């Protein structure tokens, strides 16, 4: 990459907290770690590396039953992570 380039990784608030499943959370924390390491490694070349961590998106899927949670658990999860 040329100098003054930028890399933007998309993670999740799961990369900042531990609210979600272990596999999902680990992948998001890992992406944050990769971003930090790449930022340090690429800084001498003036390449910026950042992570965007969007929060939950309120959709019907957030409050409906699924393979891991019944509807009551899904609603409680949604309310606890707003």
């Amino acid at each position: 990459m040329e100098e003054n380039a930028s890399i933007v990784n998309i993670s999740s608030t799961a990369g900042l907290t531990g609210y979600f499943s272990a596999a999902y959370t680990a992948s998001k924390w890992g992406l944050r770690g990769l971003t930090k390491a790449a930022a340090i490694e690429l800084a001498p070349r003036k390449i910026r590396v950042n992570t965007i961590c969007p929060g939950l998106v309120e959709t019907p899927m957030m409050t409906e039953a699924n393979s891991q949670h019944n509807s009551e658990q899904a609603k409680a999860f949604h309310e606890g992570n707003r």
Side-chain angles (χ1 to χ4, degrees):
M1 294 184 79
E2 296 180 21
E3 282 192 1
N4 299 313
S6 181
I7 298 170
V8 179
N9 294 318
I10 308 298
S11 183
S12 166
T13 55
L16 308 171
T17 65
Y19 292 130
F20 305 93
S21 71
Y24 184 78
T25 298
S27 71
K28 300 310 175 183
W29 278 73
L31 185 56
R32 286 186 60 218
L34 174 66
T35 299
K36 286 178 175 268
I40 292 167
E41 185 175 320
L42 297 172
R45 294 173 50 194
K46 298 181 181 173
I47 297 173
R48 298 177 315 277
V49 187
N50 295 292
T51 304
I52 296 174
C53 298
L56 296 173
V57 177
E58 192 167 329
T59 66
M61 186 173 70
M62 291 296 301
T63 57
E64 293 175 0
N66 57 51
S67 63
Q68 293 185 353
H69 302 90
N70 63 34
S71 60
E72 187 175 304
Q73 291 168 320
K75 287 177 185 174
F77 172 82
H78 178 258
E79 290 300 317
N81 288 289
R82 289 175 104 178

